[in-house]
Amino acid sequence: AQSVTQLDSQVPVFEEAPVELRCNYSSSVSVYLFWYVQYPNQGLQLLLKYLSGSTLVKGINGFEAEFNKSQTSFHLRKPSVHISDTAEYFCAVSTANFGNEKLTFGTGTRLTIIP
Amino acid sequence: NAGVMQNPRHLVRRRGQEARLRCSPMKGHSHVYWYRQLPEEGLKFMVYLQKENIIDESGMPKERFSAEFPKEGPSILRIQQVVRGDSAAYFCASSGVEGYEQYFGPGTRLTVT
């Protein structure tokens, strides 16, 4: 079984400042890793994913994440945030096995951008 | 270019009634996943279906909940005799054969009064 930990439930950041949202996972098998964003009263939108290859992954809206296998982490970063980045961010994992890619989610981090 | 569609977007039921939630996957997708999001929590996996088959229902409550994905038509999540604790947002996601990239619908927000 897999688990995902997002230690920070809320992160306030000033506009144009950098931000890092932390994600750690636990799994006994190889995993795929994802970050999703959820705007109020909407569904989830995929920001980026790590399947294999380069450990630095770039996604939409200027976000990037780095897969660190030794630390079992997949932290999300953005060098300069904008008001429109205010949302809930979820880290998720699935097993890297073809046949059942159900996602296990963290509890989410609420990012609030301060003007 | 339709994405994943869910209806209704909002559903109000009184305790003891039945709730039916519908999900139409993206065009060309044959895999459907249902997740539940309780207030202030992350999403929890409920069930994974392919056409006419339930692949994994390990996240479904043992009673009152059922899901189907018929050969024709949308996937249905059915909750019988709803209770207040069923109030949540229910999200459907679909994927292609590869499976690893899931696209989410806007969700159905169920309120049980």
Side-chain angles (χ1 to χ4, degrees):
Chain A
Q2 302 82 43
S3 66
V4 178
T5 302
Q6 292 181 250
L7 286 172
D8 306 306
S9 59
Q10 298 189 55
V11 174
V13 180
F14 285 104
E15 194 173 12
E16 297 184 8
V19 68
E20 178 180 84
L21 304 183
R22 296 181 293 169
C23 172
N24 288 87
Y25 69 92
S26 171
S27 177
S28 56
V29 298
S30 296
V31 295
Y32 296 145
L33 293 151
F34 306 84
W35 275 99
Y36 284 87
V37 60
Q38 184 180 32
Y39 298 102
N41 297 316
Q42 293 188 27
L44 277 69
Q45 181 182 4
L46 181 65
L47 273 179
L48 48 78
K49 61 182 183 286
Y50 172 80
L51 304 179
S52 64
S54 173
T55 56
L56 183 62
V57 180
K58 294 191 184 297
I60 61 171
N61 301 340
F63 284 94
E64 63 180 34
E66 185 153 20
F67 170 55
N68 188 318
K69 189 174 182 180
S70 62
Q71 297 188 7
T72 60
S73 68
F74 191 55
H75 301 331
L76 181 71
R77 302 187 188 99
K78 186 169 182 177
S80 175
V81 295
H82 188 266
I83 288 286
S84 59
D85 293 322
T86 295
E88 188 97 23
Y89 292 79
F90 292 97
C91 181
V93 302
S94 70
T95 58
N97 290 326
F98 180 78
N100 187 349
E101 287 82 10
K102 65 184 178 186
L103 294 166
T104 300
F105 285 88
T107 50
T109 297
R110 185 159 296 171
L111 177 62
T112 302
I113 308 303
I114 305 164
Chain B
N1 190 25
V4 179
M5 295 180 3
Q6 290 187 249
N7 67 82
R9 293 291 306 274
H10 300 273
L11 182 61
V12 179
R13 285 287 179 264
R14 285 199 288 270
R15 277 179 296 171
Q17 291 185 318
E18 178 180 289
R20 281 184 180 238
L21 288 62
R22 293 175 187 78
C23 168
S24 296
M26 281 182 71
K27 188 176 180 180
H29 283 184
S30 56
H31 298 206
V32 166
Y33 300 79
W34 284 93
Y35 296 86
R36 177 165 66 174
Q37 184 179 32
L38 294 169
E40 306 300 320
E41 293 188 18
L43 281 75
K44 295 281 197 292
F45 167 78
M46 298 182 75
V47 62
Y48 163 41
L49 310 105
Q50 295 177 18
K51 287 281 188 181
E52 299 184 285
N53 281 304
I54 297 175
I55 307 301
D56 182 348
E57 55 182 348
S58 58
M60 288 274 271
K62 292 284 185 283
E63 298 177 350
R64 302 186 297 108
F65 285 71
S66 63
E68 63 175 6
F69 188 16
K71 188 176 180 182
E72 301 290 339
S75 175
I76 306 283
L77 179 67
R78 183 182 176 205
I79 311 172
Q80 295 179 289
Q81 299 176 309
V82 296
V83 300
R84 288 244 172 91
D86 297 332
S87 294
Y90 293 81
F91 291 96
C92 163
S94 73
S95 70
V97 175
E98 319 80 42
Y100 50 73
E101 188 159 342
Q102 296 179 25
Y103 294 83
F104 281 78
T108 293
R109 279 155 183 84
L110 172 65
T111 302
V112 179
T113 61

